[in-house]
Each structure stands twice: as C-alpha cells, then as structure tokens.
Amino acid sequence: MRAVRDYTDFFVLATGKNPRQTHAIHEEVLGRLKAERLLPRSTSGLPEGTWIVDDYLDVVLHVFTPETREHYRLEDLWNDVPKLEAVATA
C-alpha cells in the first residue's frame, strides 16, 4: 500500500464463513499481537461482524464474511497495488 497511500504499508484481507468466525479470526490476531505488545489503534465492525477492521497503523486487517468481501471487493478497488499471498500455518 505504501506505493499508493502514505497511511499504511499493508492491507491484510481475511474471510470467515460467518460473523462468528470473523470474530474468532479477529480475536486470534488480537491475542497474538497483544502478546507482542501490539494493540490496534482502532477497531470497527465488531457488533455486526460482517467486516471487522483493525488498524495497527503500518498494517490494517480486514476480516470479512464472504458476502461482504464480494460486495466491497477491496482487491478490485486497490488493483494497482502489488499483492502478496499468505499461507496459513498451524
């Protein structure tokens, strides 16, 4: 993102099957980063859980339900930004 925006380096996009799973993804990331003393500057979308955003300044985490991710299509909005694929690890 830094190539086109000065407010963050990375957008991380993740999808949960439903709001319960998006909350679980958010909580897992929050817990792991909190252990490293990293807390989000702000969090939005928790009540609905269809699109949760955690702003860690250099990284902004977006956790969507499939329908919400398809509706907003951030990948298309930011298609001029290089993409990196992450692989889940256990």
Side-chain angles (χ1 to χ4, degrees):
M1 293 300 297
R2 185 63 70 190
V4 296
R5 293 287 168 240
D6 61 359
Y7 56 82
T8 192
D9 290 333
F10 296 97
F11 273 3
V12 176
L13 307 178
T15 305
K17 293 180 182 179
N18 52 53
R20 185 175 178 169
Q21 196 172 50
T22 63
H23 280 101
I25 293 167
H26 157 78
E27 289 297 324
E28 180 68 18
V29 172
L30 180 67
R32 287 181 183 230
L33 292 178
K34 191 174 183 179
E36 300 293 324
R37 300 195 183 278
L38 296 171
L39 295 173
R41 180 176 183 198
S42 65
T43 298
S44 298
L46 283 174
E48 302 83 18
T50 58
W51 183 3
I52 300 172
V53 180
D54 290 327
D55 183 355
Y56 288 91
L57 298 178
D58 292 337
V59 176
V60 178
L61 171 67
H62 300 265
V63 186
F64 298 97
T65 57
E67 300 81 16
T68 304
R69 186 166 180 172
E70 177 60 31
H71 178 78
Y72 288 101
R73 299 171 39 200
L74 290 187
E75 296 90 338
D76 293 341
L77 180 64
W78 297 104
N79 66 1
D80 57 338
V81 177
K83 292 167 185 57
L84 302 171
E85 291 291 327
V87 178
T89 60

